[in-house]
């Protein structure tokens, strides 16, 4: 027999077992104890917070033959029948797939008949916001004059899409995201009962990754239990979802801040050998430096950053010998580097170049000798991974006499660094003056049928390097006449000429209505959950989706860097492509996009509307937003 997934096995069966949600559990239980039930309930809240589980518990409790302190006994024939789904008087309907008038008519016709063996017929309508207008109207008639034996429980993640006429007839209960502590405690209970050796830190990490969704957290534990050999540590969990551990990030940050280029390249080499995702590591490094910045600014960083003591000590040490300006510059530089990496055919090389360039952002140079005179530092880079040939050297040369026109005036001639592969000059990089933004140029050479159109290309060439074109300041990916995507994301500090051009972008035409779109998207998200790709699920669900018949769009606000990055990774894109094609029963391309005003794009999101709104405000006011309970 197939093993039951943890989240099914650990679905709560009584009010006592429900994690958090006291604001809902208490009144419902009281109504059972006092025998005062309503006829219509509206359960609202994020997915995975226990709405349908609690609806089932309530259905059992009000019908149970021997309830205990309001709890269903789970032993009597009625409890057993509901648990097994064989009791016809308790009906669960998924409005996502049964949203028509006929579906509701059948139900409201049937509701008139008295129940066969229970006191109350209970109708649980999940994803109730998916009902059509006609279906809502049909339901409203019954809610206006419900038979005494009928109870309706509507569950929804999007209460604002339920007509006011329906809401006004329901007792409304709002489910909250579950606090980190409560999720962790629950995970510990499950782990211990299954004799899983897992550290508290690892459980906490799972809870953080699940963002207040208990179901996702339990699925992560399930995944770790089958996917990790031996004890489950925090690092093992991070490894499982493709994130690097804190010590590695500490080493990377250390190498950057102390300007140790050899150590930096060695770490990139190790990273590359480990097969870890390079782009995600840049995301993590930026987040790590953000935490170092918090250590620098905050009087009580331990409260703001919930990590292990050792990690915190590492951060405090780094915070001690860096200043806020440098940290801010590095974080911005990493963000710019991310947009380059997304399109590069040779990730590792671009990452190395990008990191070396970032060293130029750091004052009190320990590599100042590289800038003066003609010294050359050569660092051997082990050949591996994406780099095609051996014997590569990264050469950083100072060329004080180089004329660079078109760049902002600058007291000190910028150092040039070039990556040499055999005799071939691969790329040059400008070490930007301390105050200037690093070049955010990108080139895509891996898509032969597409044309890279360079806009606002600086006209002057760097003398002495005639065969190397200055990379364009902005590149637009064009396929045929259709503008597919732009490569630059807006820098943190607004620079008008670097703004993203979205003007000619094809608007996904509405080939299906909002409801259908969401039904399909939720099916894809559920499939991601079933397959255990919780990390992709967590990242993808905050996108606004659109579909034009050929392409399935995932739109991310410009503030949603990590979500965008994760979904843009090849493994995620491939998987999403497969699942969406499967869902749409035809080949569909998945296009991951980021735009400054994704909220205006055609599409719908699985994220609650209030959160989208907060995101928008934060984005407009430049306030960083991290979502956690
Ligand atoms: Zn019972």
């Amino acid at each position: 027999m197939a093993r039951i997934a943890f989240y099914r096995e650990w679905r709560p069966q009584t009010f006592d077992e429900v994690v958090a949600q006291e604001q809902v559990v208490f009144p419902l239980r009281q109504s059972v104890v006092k025998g005062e039930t309503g006829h219509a309930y509206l359960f609202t809240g994020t997915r995975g917070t226990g709405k349908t589980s609690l609806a089932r518990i309530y259905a059992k409790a009000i019908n149970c033959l021997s309830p205990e302190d309001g709890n269903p006994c789970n032993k009597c024939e009625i409890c057993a029948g509901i648990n097994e789904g064989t009791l016809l008087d308790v009906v669960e309907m998924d409005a996502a797939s049964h949203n028509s008038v006929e579906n509701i008519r059948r139900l409201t016709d049937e509701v008139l008949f008295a129940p066969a063996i229970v006191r109350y017929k209970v109708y649980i309508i999940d994803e109730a916001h998916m009902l059509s207008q006609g279906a809502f109207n049909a339901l409203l008639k019954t809610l206006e004059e419900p038979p005494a034996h009928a109870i309706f429980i509507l569950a929804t993640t999007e209460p604002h899409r339920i007509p006011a006429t329906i809401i006004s007839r329901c007792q409304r209960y709002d489910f909250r995201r579950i606090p980190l502590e409560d999720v962790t405690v629950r995970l510990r209970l499950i782990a211990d009962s299954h004799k899983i050796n897992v550290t508290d830190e690892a459980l906490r990490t799972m809870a953080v990754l699940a963002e207040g969704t208990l179901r996702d957290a339990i699925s992560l534990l399930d995944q770790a239990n089958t996917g990790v050999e031996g004890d489950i540590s925090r690092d093992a969990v991070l490894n499982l979802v493709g994130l690097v551990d804190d010590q590695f990030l500490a080493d990377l940050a250390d190498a950057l801040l102390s300007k140790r280029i050899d150590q930096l390249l060695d770490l990139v080499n190790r990273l590359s050998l480990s097969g870890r995702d390079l782009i995600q590591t840049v995301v993590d490094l930026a987040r790590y430096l953000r935490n170092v910045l918090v250590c620098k600014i905050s009087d009580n960083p331990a409260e703001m950053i919930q990590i292990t003591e050792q990690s915190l000590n590492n951060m405090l040490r780094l915070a001690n010998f860096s200043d806020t300006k440098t940290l801010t510059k590095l974080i911005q530089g990493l963000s710019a580097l991310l947009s380059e990496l997304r399109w590069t055919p040779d990730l590792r090389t671009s990452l190395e170049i990008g990191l070396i360039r970032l060293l130029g952002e750091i004052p009190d140079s320990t590599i100042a000798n590289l800038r003066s005179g003609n010294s050359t530092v050569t660092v051997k880079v082990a050949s591996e991974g994406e780099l095609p040939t051996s014997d590569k050297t990264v050469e950083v040369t100072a060329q004080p006499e180089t004329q660079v026109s078109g760049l902002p005036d600058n007291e000190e001639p910028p150092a040039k660094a070039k990556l040499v592969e055999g005799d071939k000059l691969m790329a040059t990089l400008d070490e930007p003056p301390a105050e200037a933004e690093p070049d955010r140029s990108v080139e895509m050479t891996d898509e032969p049928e597409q044309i890279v159109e360079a806009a606002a290309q600086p006209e002057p060439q760097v003398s002495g390097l005639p065969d190397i074109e200055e990379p364009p300041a902005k590149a637009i990916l064009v396929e045929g006449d259709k503008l597919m995507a732009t490569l630059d994301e807006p820098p943190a500090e607004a620079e008008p000429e670097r703004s993203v051009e979205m003007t000619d972008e094809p608007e996904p035409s509405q080939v299906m209505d909002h409801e259908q779109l969401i039904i399909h998207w939720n099916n894809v998200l559920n499939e991601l959950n079933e397959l255990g790709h919780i990390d992709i699920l967590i990242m993808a669900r905050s996108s606004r989706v659109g579909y034009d018949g050929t392409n399935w769009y995932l739109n991310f606000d410009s503030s949603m860097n990590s979500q965008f990055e994760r979904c843009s990774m090849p493994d995620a894109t491939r998987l999403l492509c497969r699942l969406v094609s499967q869902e749409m029963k035809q080949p569909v391309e998945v296009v991951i996009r980021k735009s400054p005003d994704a909220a205006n794009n055609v599409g719908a999101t699985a994220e609650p509307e209030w959160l989208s709104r907060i995101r928008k405000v934060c984005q407009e006011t430049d306030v960083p937003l991290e979502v956690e309970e």
Side-chain angles (χ1 to χ4, degrees):
M1 198 181 98
R3 192 177 64 86
I4 304 169
F6 280 177
Y7 83 88
R8 285 189 207 281
E9 183 186 339
W10 287 86
R11 187 171 279 163
Q13 300 297 342
T14 65
F15 287 120
D16 288 342
E17 288 173 16
V18 175
V19 177
Q21 317 297 7
E22 293 81 6
Q23 78 287 357
V24 180
V25 170
F26 182 76
L28 285 181
R29 192 175 176 156
Q30 283 303 104
S31 87
V32 176
V33 172
K34 292 182 179 163
E36 296 166 355
T37 57
H39 286 293
Y41 294 89
L42 179 64
F43 288 1
T44 73
T46 327
R47 51 179 291 286
T49 47
K51 297 184 296 296
T52 44
S53 296
L54 208 51
R56 252 178 246 153
I57 293 170
Y58 190 63
K60 281 188 287 184
I62 51 176
N63 284 313
C64 179
L65 299 177
S66 51
E68 297 149 12
D69 191 21
N71 276 313
C73 72
N74 282 306
K75 289 175 198 140
C76 70
E77 55 176 307
I78 289 173
C79 285
I82 294 174
N83 281 339
E84 286 156 19
T86 51
L87 196 90
L88 297 177
D89 290 327
V90 174
V91 179
E92 270 186 58
M93 193 181 92
D94 183 9
S97 45
H98 302 82
N99 61 347
S100 66
V101 189
E102 287 69 37
N103 292 130
I104 289 295
R105 286 243 169 84
R106 215 168 297 146
L107 199 142
T108 51
D109 287 349
E110 200 236 34
V111 82
L112 300 172
F113 299 101
I117 51 171
V118 297
R119 267 167 73 202
Y120 296 103
K121 279 186 159 184
V122 184
Y123 296 87
I124 301 169
I125 304 178
D126 202 7
E127 304 293 346
H129 59 271
M130 298 286 196
L131 291 176
S132 64
Q133 195 54 52
F136 274 128
N137 290 340
L139 182 63
L140 186 60
K141 285 207 184 87
T142 304
L143 290 186
E144 279 165 351
E145 286 175 57
H149 59 257
I151 294 173
F152 287 87
I153 303 177
L154 313 185
T156 178
T157 49
E158 298 183 45
H160 57 279
R161 291 174 56 196
I162 310 263
T165 45
I166 298 275
I167 291 183
S168 66
R169 288 185 163 74
C170 293
Q171 293 183 32
R172 175 170 170 161
Y173 291 100
D174 293 329
F175 287 62
R176 300 183 187 136
R177 278 172 196 268
I178 302 165
L180 210 62
E181 282 311 317
D182 293 336
V183 176
T184 314
V185 167
R186 185 73 174 170
L187 292 178
R188 172 52 70 199
L189 182 75
I190 298 172
D192 287 350
S193 88
H194 285 270
K195 299 198 167 49
I196 300 169
N197 285 325
V198 52
T199 64
D200 287 338
E201 269 178 25
L203 294 181
R204 195 175 175 80
T205 305
M206 292 176 196
V208 170
L209 288 170
E211 291 183 343
T213 307
L214 185 60
R215 191 163 69 204
D216 290 351
I218 295 177
S219 296
L220 257 179
L221 176 63
D222 205 344
Q223 202 186 344
N225 183 38
T226 50
V228 174
E229 259 181 59
D231 295 358
I232 302 168
S233 62
R234 173 181 155 84
D235 286 355
V237 174
L238 293 172
N239 198 7
L240 190 73
V241 294
L243 304 174
V244 296
D245 59 72
D246 287 347
Q247 186 56 52
F248 188 88
L249 292 174
D251 292 345
L252 258 183
D254 189 308
L256 261 183
L257 287 165
S258 58
K259 305 192 89 162
R260 285 207 295 268
I261 193 170
D262 50 343
Q263 195 188 352
L264 198 61
L265 293 179
D266 179 51
L267 287 166
V268 174
N269 182 40
R270 276 166 50 198
L271 187 69
S272 185
L273 285 172
S274 76
R276 222 58 72 78
D277 196 296
L278 301 181
I279 291 183
Q280 183 59 43
T281 305
V282 176
V283 175
D284 294 343
L285 179 60
R287 202 170 293 155
Y288 189 90
L289 289 172
R290 173 259 179 200
N291 285 344
V292 174
L293 188 61
V294 171
C295 287
K296 185 92 204 158
I297 298 166
S298 166
D299 290 335
N300 192 2
E303 252 182 29
M304 294 184 68
I305 318 162
Q306 296 177 328
I307 45 165
T308 63
E309 202 182 324
Q310 203 209 330
S311 295
L312 186 64
N313 286 338
N314 275 338
M315 285 178 185
L316 287 168
R317 191 179 58 81
L318 289 172
N320 263 340
F321 74 82
S322 52
D323 58 276
T324 45
K325 196 174 164 195
T326 304
L327 289 168
T328 314
K329 272 186 186 304
L330 281 179
I331 295 167
Q332 286 171 351
L334 287 171
S335 159
L337 178 59
L338 269 176
S339 61
E340 292 175 31
L341 293 181
R342 209 176 304 140
W343 302 100
T344 180
D346 185 347
L347 256 184
R348 176 169 161 175
T349 307
S350 303
L351 175 61
E352 285 167 345
I353 293 175
L355 290 176
I356 293 169
R357 196 177 54 202
L358 272 181
L359 294 180
E361 302 277 317
I362 304 166
D364 303 321
S365 159
T366 53
I367 53 164
N369 55 333
L370 293 181
R371 294 184 179 180
S372 58
N374 288 318
S375 60
T376 298
V377 174
T378 304
V379 186
K380 288 278 175 199
V381 182
S383 71
E384 194 278 324
E386 300 102 325
L387 293 183
T389 59
S390 58
D391 246 337
K392 295 172 200 71
T393 57
V394 171
E395 198 180 318
V396 184
T397 44
Q399 299 185 338
E401 71 290 353
T402 308
Q403 299 295 315
V404 184
S405 44
L407 289 177
D409 275 346
N410 176 11
E411 291 81 37
E412 203 186 358
K416 303 292 291 180
K418 46 186 175 167
L419 182 68
V420 182
E421 186 187 17
D423 282 329
K424 221 170 80 195
L425 189 57
M426 290 294 286
T428 57
L429 52 110
D430 280 299
E431 189 166 0
E435 295 306 318
E437 286 274 337
D439 256 0
R440 294 229 182 72
S441 351
V442 266
E443 277 189 66
M444 299 156 302
T445 47
D446 57 337
E447 310 220 34
E449 76 281 12
Q450 290 157 339
I451 309 150
V452 174
E453 187 182 270
Q457 182 163 357
E459 51 311 329
Q461 297 292 319
V462 177
S463 67
L465 301 165
D467 50 341
I468 299 299
E469 279 193 9
E470 191 71 12
K474 182 159 54 183
I476 302 162
L477 177 61
V478 181
E479 188 181 38
D481 282 339
K482 221 165 73 182
L483 185 61
M484 291 296 286
T486 51
L487 306 182
D488 267 355
E489 69 178 317
E493 288 163 4
E495 275 193 60
E497 75 277 16
R498 291 240 175 84
S499 64
V500 177
E501 284 184 10
M502 304 289 280
T503 45
D504 294 334
E505 187 167 359
E507 272 295 298
S509 57
Q510 285 294 67
V511 293
M512 64 171 74
D513 62 23
H514 186 87
E515 276 75 20
Q516 283 175 307
L517 187 70
I518 284 296
I519 292 168
H520 289 305
W521 181 228
N522 275 322
N523 289 344
V524 172
L525 292 178
N526 285 337
E527 191 59 22
L528 278 172
N529 184 36
E530 293 291 330
L531 294 174
H533 294 283
I534 308 302
D535 58 323
I536 302 178
L537 164 68
I538 289 169
M539 296 306 188
R541 71 177 172 208
S542 53
S543 67
R544 303 184 69 81
V545 293
Y547 180 57
D548 63 7
T550 341
N551 292 328
W552 184 277
Y553 299 93
L554 262 62
N555 300 304
F556 290 95
D557 287 2
S558 55
S559 60
M560 300 161 110
N561 273 324
S562 47
Q563 288 90 338
F564 175 87
E565 300 307 336
R566 182 64 190 101
C567 293
S568 304
M569 285 181 203
D571 65 316
T573 319
R574 265 198 308 274
L575 179 67
L576 286 167
C577 230
R578 181 164 70 78
L579 295 182
V580 173
S581 299
Q582 203 173 299
E583 174 66 25
M584 304 313 296
K585 299 187 172 63
Q586 61 170 353
V588 177
E589 280 294 313
V590 171
V591 181
I592 318 280
R593 307 188 290 191
K594 189 155 71 168
S595 71
D597 52 356
N600 298 332
N601 287 352
V602 175
T605 174
E607 184 174 80
E609 196 216 0
W610 61 266
L611 185 56
S612 307
R613 261 182 289 148
I614 290 175
R615 255 187 223 293
K616 196 154 188 287
V617 173
C618 287
Q619 190 188 317
E620 281 162 3
T621 52
D622 235 9
V623 175
L625 171 71
E626 278 193 18
V627 181
E628 59 182 78
E629 196 74 3

